[in-house]
Amino acid sequence: MHNKPKSTTHPLAFQSLFVEIQHTYSTHQPIYTDGSKDQEKVSAVMYAPLFVDTARLPNNSSIIFAELYALLLVLQKIQSHKSSKFIVFTDSLSSLQSISFSLVLQLLEIYNFLLQKGKTIVFCWIPSHMGIRGNKKVNSIAKTALNSDMSSFKVLYLISNSFSRKYIIIFSSLNATLQMVINYIKYNPL
């Protein structure tokens, strides 16, 4: 569904595709996730018809953190659930893209490798568009790169062939990757 721009696609078109997806995966337990941010407060939620789990996250957490945490809540719930088939619906394409590519795992693997080699690395957030010289420069370069040829990526997720299911990420294939990242973070804190 993500190839259709929300601004020019009528809601009924998305609803129709959603009904088709529900029908295709009618044997799967549906679960919905969302992250929410209001001022500095942030929460993550997973909802299925028979259960709900919520988490109030640290103030000023990012919305992507909330969306990813909601997916973590789902995986934790699935571990103890008697069903074996699930379909997870999220409105956060960014969170699916974050876990569907192995970039996070690669980042952690390289980071850990460099630490073992005696490197010291500090990650520091800076506010964008505040006149910080290096940030202004990298922002300018990033905008220029928008006109470059597309970089090649190895995609780790599966995509089904039919049009209506073309953009559904088969979440079960991501479970192992996400669990590896979670375990890695748990046992190798940054």
Side-chain angles (χ1 to χ4, degrees), residues 87-105:
I87 183 164
V88 180
F89 296 105
T90 179
D91 62 4
S92 174
L93 184 59
S94 296
S95 65
L96 291 179
Q97 290 170 333
S98 293
I99 64 173
S100 64
F101 292 100
S102 63
L103 294 178
V104 172
L105 186 56

Side-chain angles (χ1 to χ4, degrees), residues 149-180:
D149 291 336
M150 181 72 72
S151 300
S152 62
F153 292 96
K154 291 185 179 178
V155 180
L156 297 181
Y157 55 83
L158 302 175
I159 299 176
S160 64
N161 290 329
S162 79
F163 176 77
S164 66
R165 294 179 286 155
K166 186 175 180 184
Y167 295 102
I168 298 172
I169 297 172
I170 308 301
F171 198 80
S172 60
S173 69
L174 302 175
N175 189 355
T177 302
L178 185 58
Q179 194 59 50
M180 286 173 38

Side-chain angles (χ1 to χ4, degrees), residues 108-127:
L108 293 172
E109 286 176 356
I110 293 169
Y111 178 79
N112 191 47
F113 174 79
L114 293 171
L115 290 179
Q116 290 175 1
K117 293 288 187 186
K119 305 286 185 186
T120 300
I121 304 163
V122 177
F123 292 98
C124 179
W125 174 83
I126 55 174

Side-chain angles (χ1 to χ4, degrees), residues 27-78:
T27 62
H28 291 61
Q29 171 74 35
I31 304 175
Y32 300 83
T33 68
D34 201 13
S36 183
K37 185 168 184 166
D38 184 20
Q39 307 281 322
E40 74 277 351
K41 294 181 180 178
V42 184
S43 66
V45 178
M46 59 132 312
Y47 160 77
L50 299 177
F51 51 88
V52 174
D53 197 359
T54 66
R56 172 69 163 77
L57 303 174
N59 284 350
N60 298 310
S61 294
S62 69
I63 194 64
I64 187 70
F65 179 80
E67 298 284 0
L68 287 169
Y69 199 89
L71 293 174
L72 177 61
L73 291 175
V74 167
L75 295 180
Q76 290 171 338
K77 190 66 168 180
I78 286 173

